Amino acid sequence: MLRPGDRDPVPVRIVHLGRPRADDYLLAFDDSRVVVGATHEDDAGFDHRATAAGMAEVLNEALSVAPGPAGATHLETRIGFRPVGPDIRPLLGAVPQVAGLIVANGLGASGLTMGPYAGTVAARLARRADPGIDLTPYDPLR
């Protein structure tokens, strides 16, 4: 988490930095904080340490696209596990074998950006309303 100085340009609300799995992003908040993320390490297991290499990778990638926050103050680093579906698509939909069970998970790095929409779809399903999209590609049991 960064806080740019008064003269540092803050990036637009959301910027995906172009890697195929959309792991790298900048997300600006109204109070001028900017989240810069994130590493994707399939082979790290449940190692929850913030490594210097991981932080350098994230910051270098972000600043290569949006150099404005280079002088920003580093506020904090958070570590989390972001589960993904077996084919990178989220797991989103009802589980017919268990009445009332709605799954909304597996968003991976896109959770910050896609999470509100997935939550809206899950809420529609819970209310037995039309989810507004074809959920076949996101079937949690696929």
Side-chain angles (χ1 to χ4, degrees):
M1 178 84 64
L2 305 175
R3 181 174 311 281
D6 292 338
R7 295 182 183 188
D8 297 328
V10 175
V12 293
R13 181 60 94 188
I14 299 169
V15 177
H16 283 279
L17 303 183
R19 290 191 184 180
R21 293 180 73 134
D23 293 325
D24 299 321
Y25 55 84
L26 295 159
L27 175 63
F29 289 92
D30 290 338
D31 64 356
S32 296
R33 292 175 303 138
V34 177
V35 172
V36 181
T39 61
H40 181 102
E41 303 172 28
D42 288 330
D43 57 354
F46 291 100
D47 184 350
H48 64 276
R49 296 174 303 119
T51 65
M55 292 175 67
E57 174 189 333
V58 168
L59 290 171
N60 287 334
E61 184 70 22
L63 294 175
S64 74
V65 173
T73 300
H74 176 261
L75 299 175
E76 67 179 306
T77 298
R78 294 184 183 183
I79 306 297
F81 299 111
R82 298 163 304 164
V84 295
D87 52 10
I88 304 176
R89 290 178 298 200
L91 308 172
L92 183 58
V95 177
Q97 297 85 340
V98 182
L101 178 60
I102 308 296
V103 174
N105 200 343
L107 299 172
S110 64
L112 278 174
T113 56
M114 236 176 93
Y117 179 70
T120 298
V121 171
R124 288 177 184 158
L125 290 172
R127 292 189 327 261
R128 294 189 174 93
D130 180 359
I133 64 169
D134 175 15
L135 292 173
T136 304
Y138 311 106
D139 184 343
L141 301 180
R142 66 181 182 278

